[in-house]
Amino acid sequence: MSAPRLTARHYHGHPHDQSPRDRVVLDYDARFLRRKVLTCDSGERLLVDLPNTTSLDHGGVLLLEGGGEVLVVAASEPLLEVTAEHLPRIAWHIGNRHTPCQIEDTRLLIQRDHVIRAMLDHLGATVREVDEPFTPEGGAYGHGRTHAHEHGHTHHHGHADHDHSHEH
């Protein structure tokens, strides 16, 4: 028996029907996919087969082939909560490292990373380990993923012939 196939995704934060057929809970890394079998809360296995690698958003929906929708929910995962007196300055340093970051009014959330944590400690930020859903800011050009330059397409940055290392 083959798994039902998910072939499209709505680009909005709420399902069309009042109650989606099921839901799938995925951490940040697992929400970046093209072809993969997922297990829903009900235990049903679904084959996601999208035309392009896609970053699924918390609260988005997957449209089932033949009808019905599956809600995408961000799973709790190990994160670092970052606070500081000058939070925009800290956010700049995190962004300069191409680190995915959830930006809130009074705090930042990033995935746990001992190197970034050491940098934040050095900058005077307060860093605390938490377990929460992670919904980082999307890319400036609508790509949804901001880490490195591995989003699967070519683009011109306008700053020719430099490497992307940030070692100083």
Side-chain angles (χ1 to χ4, degrees), residues 44-146:
E44 184 175 19
R45 293 168 45 92
L46 303 169
L47 172 63
V48 176
D49 189 10
L50 303 171
N52 299 305
T53 302
T54 302
S55 179
L56 303 175
D57 297 324
H58 169 75
V61 293
L62 293 164
L63 179 64
L64 290 171
E65 188 174 81
E69 296 175 334
V70 174
L71 181 65
V72 177
V73 176
S76 284
E77 55 187 291
L79 302 172
L80 296 176
E81 176 188 71
V82 182
T83 57
E85 184 176 336
H86 300 289
L87 200 56
R89 177 176 168 262
I90 300 299
W92 184 88
H93 282 283
I94 290 170
N96 192 43
R97 289 356 179 241
H98 297 277
T99 300
C101 182
Q102 182 173 326
I103 301 170
E104 299 178 2
D105 289 340
T106 60
R107 70 180 187 158
L108 307 171
L109 292 173
I110 61 172
Q111 292 172 311
R112 289 185 190 169
D113 179 302
H114 71 279
V115 173
I116 299 295
R117 183 176 189 152
M119 175 197 72
L120 294 168
D121 289 339
H122 177 75
L123 292 169
T126 300
V127 181
R128 180 173 76 99
E129 292 185 358
V130 297
D131 289 299
E132 297 182 27
F134 186 48
T135 56
E137 197 68 26
Y141 301 100
H143 302 306
R145 295 287 169 147
T146 57

